[in-house]
Amino acid sequence: MNEATLQSALSSPQNLGEMTDADAVGTVGSPDCGDMVRMWLKYKDQDGRKVIDKASFQSFGCQTAIAVASLATELIRGKTKEEALLMSAEELSAPLGPLPPMKIHCGQMVEGALKAALEAESNTTSKSTILENRATGPTLADSLSAVGKTAGKIKIVMHS
Ligand code: FES
């Protein structure tokens, strides 16, 4: 793993924090470690294509998860939903180099949060519904405490 890239992503994480005008939000927790990442997406029209204008994240996660989430929010800008859906955890964490085996799930958790946000947008009929869901949904802390230590790789947290 590239320690210099990791440290620079951690010392000044990009796009950290809730996005109040987001079009979609996705949250994923890892039963492996109890960590969690939430990602917000905002779209825009560009040359007739709907692309990701910006993304932000919050993380109760380890340093690797924070670094990958920070890198991912930069990498997906300007991509369409379809293009972003094709991005694997390996691609999102590529600037860090190969992750050690015990840290692979950290990248997968970020990929899961991104895909949850991408799917949330496509499955919801109106922006106002998404925002309403987000406003009334559980806080990240609530969601984190609900993750528990269940079986499986990642757990999608539904926004009620
Ligand atoms: Fe679980 Fe990194 S140790 S997300």
Side-chain angles (χ1 to χ4, degrees):
M1 189 155 68
N2 186 326
E3 284 296 327
T5 308
L6 176 68
Q7 290 309 326
S8 102
L10 288 174
S11 61
S12 57
Q14 301 298 300
N15 310 308
L16 179 62
E18 179 176 355
M19 191 192 300
T20 53
D21 62 343
D23 292 324
V25 57
T27 307
V28 163
S30 170
D32 287 343
C33 61
D35 290 344
M36 180 171 279
V37 168
R38 177 166 290 174
M39 194 170 284
W40 287 266
L41 298 175
K42 179 90 183 153
Y43 293 90
K44 69 175 178 184
D45 283 323
Q46 187 175 63
D47 303 327
R49 300 192 322 156
K50 185 175 163 186
V51 300
I52 296 168
D53 181 25
K54 54 184 179 174
S56 74
F57 75 98
Q58 272 184 342
S59 172
F60 284 140
C62 72
Q63 294 191 331
T64 304
I66 293 169
V68 175
S70 170
L71 294 165
T73 53
E74 290 292 295
L75 283 170
I76 61 175
R77 288 180 82 150
K79 294 193 182 301
T80 63
K81 185 186 90 172
E82 291 71 25
E83 289 167 345
L85 276 171
L86 289 175
M87 295 197 73
S88 65
E90 289 75 26
E91 288 175 274
L92 295 172
S93 61
L96 293 175
L99 299 179
M102 69 194 332
K103 291 290 178 184
I104 287 178
H105 77 274
C106 315
Q108 289 172 337
M109 187 171 71
V110 175
E111 179 193 351
L114 170 61
K115 288 194 161 60
L118 291 164
E119 296 295 345
E121 199 274 341
S122 63
N123 290 338
T124 308
T125 49
S126 78
K127 181 175 160 183
S128 61
T129 306
I130 298 169
L131 292 177
E132 186 182 303
N133 285 346
R134 184 178 58 72
T136 58
T139 65
L140 193 55
D142 291 341
S143 303
L144 184 64
S145 63
V147 170
K149 300 283 182 189
T150 53
K153 223 183 244 177
I154 56 172
K155 172 179 171 177
I156 307 283
V157 177
M158 302 304 294
H159 295 272
S160 56

